[in-house]
Amino acid sequence: MTFADSAGAVRAGEELDAAAIDAFLKQHMKGLSGELRIRQFPGGASNLTYLLQYPDQEFVLRRPPFGRKAKSAHDMGREYRVMQGLRGIYPYVPAMVAFCEDESVIGGEFYVMERLKGVILRGDPPAGMPFSEADQRALCHNMVDRLVELHQANWESTPLKDLLKEGDYVERQIDGWCDRYRRSRTDDAPDFEEVMAWLQQHKPKQIRRCLVHNDYRFDNLVLDADNLMNIIGVLDWEMATIGDPLMDLGNSLAYWVQRDDPAPLHMLRRQPTHLPGMMSRAEIVDYYLQRAGLSIPSFDFYEVYGMFRLVVIIQQIYYRFHHGQTQDKRFASFIQAVQYLDGYLRDKIHASSLS
């Protein structure tokens, strides 16, 4: 039995022009032949991911969502260049094949990369997959180790140095995400002003500069099908930049729903972090700090920041649905998550040692 990640039928309204893609690829790749078959990977609340199958080769295509999108979001060219730059200093990035900036080809920019065949953990492990508590804990350690490796990669000697923006990254992120929330707020969404004021009041200085992924979680990791503890690939580099390592860890932990979390949080869970062998958020933080050689008095700010950032991402997606910019019914319930997380985060800041 294979547990490798597989693609399914293309969702209605997200079909691609196979003939146009086939012509583009055969123009850019010598020796490519045969008929193209297109399948779609699950997920895709943001960018959409497709499997391109030829008789003897497979590739993966990434494109923005259909419909209107936020200004400067879903920059396929930027993600393509970031992944190209990472290949020499971080061995877990798929090889790039081609980038198309001509939106007339399929209605948006897109890039094509190699397919890494392996297991991707989404909501729950595939049925029947052997995944012991010891395996789960070992995978948590390896996940953190790969993140530490990224944060210690030598980006300054590569073209990735162009990602650097002057000024304090933490301050820029808090200002930016607060502004994004206010601009994407709908009339049925809470104002989050108390949470935003707390973040502004308690933001620390940037601890150091490093490469950050900004969306590092299990469903963006490719695991070796023959050894689930071995991470062979890291995907989805859309939001990667030069930033602060603890902000990146806070982003990751926003998705880390552990066994003892309240039931509404479990409704948001999209990776199997609730399993009995998985580390808690506090254990992840302690292990990261030890491996990275860092020491801080409290992680509360980074945890609240990561969850608030997730709120903004959810609200931005809901905004598109609310205003009829997308018809995807999956997004209709996103407002319920935003409403719940308002109270959840206010409870967090009231209980924080920083308050």
Side-chain angles (χ1 to χ4, degrees):
M1 182 182 295
T2 178
F3 301 101
D5 195 50
S6 60
V10 177
R11 291 189 291 266
E14 297 179 355
E15 298 87 354
L16 301 181
D17 186 335
I21 294 170
D22 181 60
F24 172 82
L25 284 178
K26 288 177 178 174
Q27 179 183 356
H28 287 81
M29 296 187 66
K30 294 181 179 179
L32 188 61
S33 62
E35 183 178 353
L36 171 62
R37 181 185 183 217
I38 300 178
R39 308 278 284 169
Q40 188 173 22
F41 287 102
S46 181
N47 293 325
L48 307 178
T49 309
Y50 301 82
L51 175 63
L52 309 182
Q53 294 178 303
Y54 285 93
D56 58 353
Q57 294 188 73
E58 291 185 337
F59 307 98
V60 171
L61 181 147
R62 291 259 291 169
R63 65 147 292 156
F66 290 84
R68 292 181 59 186
K69 58 188 180 72
K71 185 179 179 181
S72 79
H74 315 289
D75 189 335
M76 296 290 96
R78 181 184 185 277
E79 185 173 3
Y80 178 83
R81 291 187 295 273
V82 165
M83 294 175 75
Q84 274 190 318
L86 281 163
R87 281 284 290 180
I89 60 172
Y90 191 66
Y92 308 101
V93 181
M96 296 293 99
V97 173
F99 167 65
C100 179
E101 63 181 348
D102 183 356
E103 297 190 8
S104 69
V105 176
I106 63 167
E109 295 183 340
F110 66 91
Y111 69 82
V112 178
M113 62 184 173
E114 72 167 323
R115 183 190 183 189
L116 296 178
K117 292 186 178 180
V119 176
I120 295 180
L121 294 179
R122 293 190 171 90
D124 294 293
M129 186 177 76
F131 197 34
S132 69
E133 291 186 27
D135 292 342
Q136 294 160 25
R137 195 161 189 88
L139 178 59
C140 289
H141 284 142
N142 289 340
M143 177 184 182
V144 174
D145 289 342
R146 299 295 84 76
L147 184 61
V148 171
E149 284 181 43
L150 175 66
H151 292 166
Q152 294 178 345
N154 181 18
W155 55 272
E156 294 177 282
S157 61
T158 76
L160 294 169
K161 64 181 183 296
D162 293 339
L163 296 173
L164 177 64
K165 293 182 179 179
E166 293 305 318
D168 187 272
Y169 179 81
V170 177
E171 182 175 1
R172 189 165 65 248
Q173 290 301 296
I174 298 305
D175 289 348
W177 288 105
C178 289
D179 178 63
R180 291 181 195 103
Y181 184 78
R182 292 184 178 109
R183 286 190 284 112
S184 63
R185 187 186 172 200
T186 48
D187 54 13
D188 50 355
D191 63 27
F192 275 89
E193 290 297 334
E194 183 179 2
V195 174
M196 291 190 285
W198 186 90
L199 287 168
Q200 290 286 2
Q201 180 182 352
H202 295 286
K203 60 180 181 285
K205 293 294 184 182
Q206 180 172 356
I207 194 166
R208 67 180 181 87
R209 289 172 171 171
C210 70
L211 278 168
V212 295
H213 182 279
N214 270 330
D215 204 14
Y216 188 83
R217 57 180 196 249
F218 278 135
D219 53 351
N220 281 329
L221 304 182
V222 183
L223 312 182
D224 186 342
D226 297 321
N227 177 5
L228 293 176
M229 282 60 71
N230 183 29
I231 297 168
I232 61 173
V234 180
L235 308 175
D236 194 353
W237 293 87
E238 176 190 2
M239 294 184 282
T241 190
I242 306 301
D244 181 284
L246 297 182
M247 298 286 274
D248 204 17
L249 182 60
N251 292 337
S252 294
L253 291 185
Y255 297 93
W256 199 273
V257 179
Q258 59 194 42
R259 296 189 77 191
D260 60 352
D261 277 333
L265 271 192
H266 282 266
M267 298 294 290
L268 301 176
R269 184 179 61 79
R270 53 185 300 175
Q271 52 184 357
T273 50
H274 67 302
L275 297 178
M278 291 286 180
M279 297 167 69
S280 67
R281 285 187 294 271
E283 289 174 322
I284 291 284
V285 170
D286 289 345
Y287 183 70
Y288 177 91
L289 294 174
Q290 175 220 326
R291 297 292 289 169
L294 296 173
S295 177
I296 56 171
S298 169
F299 197 76
D300 289 354
F301 168 84
Y302 302 101
E303 185 172 353
V304 172
Y305 154 72
M307 187 62 79
F308 173 69
R309 173 182 175 271
L310 177 58
V311 165
V312 181
I313 293 170
I314 295 171
Q315 178 63 27
Q316 286 177 320
I317 296 169
Y318 176 72
Y319 179 95
R320 294 175 56 232
F321 176 83
H322 184 81
H323 290 284
Q325 297 169 8
T326 175
Q327 304 303 315
D328 194 326
K329 290 185 171 62
R330 292 179 301 161
F331 306 149
S333 63
F334 278 27
I335 186 59
Q336 297 170 24
V338 172
Q339 292 166 344
Y340 170 75
L341 290 172
D342 177 51
Y344 177 83
L345 283 177
R346 283 189 282 111
D347 289 344
K348 280 279 187 187
I349 65 177
H350 294 161
S352 171
S353 61
L354 301 176
S355 298

